[in-house]
Amino acid sequence: MIEAYKLVAAQCDYPLHLGVTESGTVRMGIIKSAVGIGALLTQGIGDTIRVSLTADPVKEVDAGFDILASIGLLPDRPTLVSCPTCGRTKIDLIGLANAVEERLRHVHKPITVAVMGCVVNGPGEAKEADIGIAGGAGCGLLFQKGEILRKVDEADLLDALMEEIERL
Ligand code: SF4
């Protein structure tokens, strides 16, 4: 697919509609589409895209937006960064990161949001983030550009983060 589009792009200046045909089910289909479409868009090839999955079409649209956002083509979409968790993680970081990602789908701001597993390294590792949380034991810290704002109970972390994001 990549080679075919490169050949066409070299021979004409028609607008090109990118997509990986019959890419498969959700997991592998999104990976293949991201690799194929992303490789071309980052080389300046392609004008419109489609994602083809053996799945609910809503997932195809979501995946398309996510591919565009991940290569910086949707500047008003927030970027989520989150750590991989390790022995220092004392909260349900995976659940928290997924919940934050879901809530961010309704936010249209060019911001970076960090969800980090510990207060030891979290604020420092994510100091470029506009806003973030770092987990502790039953609580977490809210931080902004690496500076700690306040401590929040684990149960209130998600809502506290979203309130801060609304103020940005
Ligand atoms: S931020 Fe903390 S919990 Fe997350 S990977 Fe780094 S050290 Fe581990």
Side-chain angles (χ1 to χ4, degrees):
M1 170 262 187
I2 293 172
E3 289 309 312
Y5 276 104
K6 279 184 178 175
L7 281 172
V8 173
Q11 290 176 37
C12 70
D13 60 359
Y14 292 164
L16 295 178
H17 184 52
L18 307 183
V20 178
T21 300
E22 296 166 2
S23 65
T25 54
V26 172
R27 181 182 138 80
M28 285 309 294
I30 289 177
I31 291 173
K32 287 185 214 170
S33 297
V35 170
I37 294 170
L40 289 162
L41 287 179
T42 54
Q43 292 176 55
I45 297 172
D47 300 272
T48 57
I49 69 166
R50 64 151 172 90
V51 175
S52 162
L53 304 172
T54 308
D56 183 337
V58 172
K59 291 191 186 303
E60 297 176 321
V61 176
D62 285 346
F65 278 117
D66 289 344
I67 290 169
L68 294 177
S70 69
I71 53 178
L73 292 176
L74 294 179
D76 73 337
R77 278 267 297 246
T79 299
L80 173 67
V81 297
S82 56
C83 82
T85 77
C86 74
R88 286 198 170 110
T89 315
K90 301 282 185 267
I91 61 168
D92 172 21
L93 194 77
I94 296 171
L96 193 54
N98 279 301
V100 171
E101 183 177 64
E102 194 52 41
R103 297 272 289 266
L104 287 179
R105 288 197 176 278
H106 309 290
V107 175
H108 297 283
K109 293 182 179 180
I111 56 172
T112 298
V113 180
V115 179
M116 308 299 282
C118 75
V119 296
V120 181
N121 290 341
E125 284 182 18
K127 65 177 180 300
E128 308 302 331
D130 296 289
I131 191 79
I133 47 184
C139 64
L141 296 180
L142 268 172
F143 62 90
Q144 193 164 15
K145 297 276 186 191
E147 299 295 321
I148 292 166
L149 295 177
R150 64 180 190 277
K151 188 174 169 182
V152 181
D153 285 342
E154 181 174 353
D156 301 325
L157 263 177
L158 178 60
D159 286 338
L161 175 71
M162 296 313 297
E163 280 167 21
E164 291 294 335
I165 288 171
E166 268 179 37
R167 287 196 199 104
L168 292 176

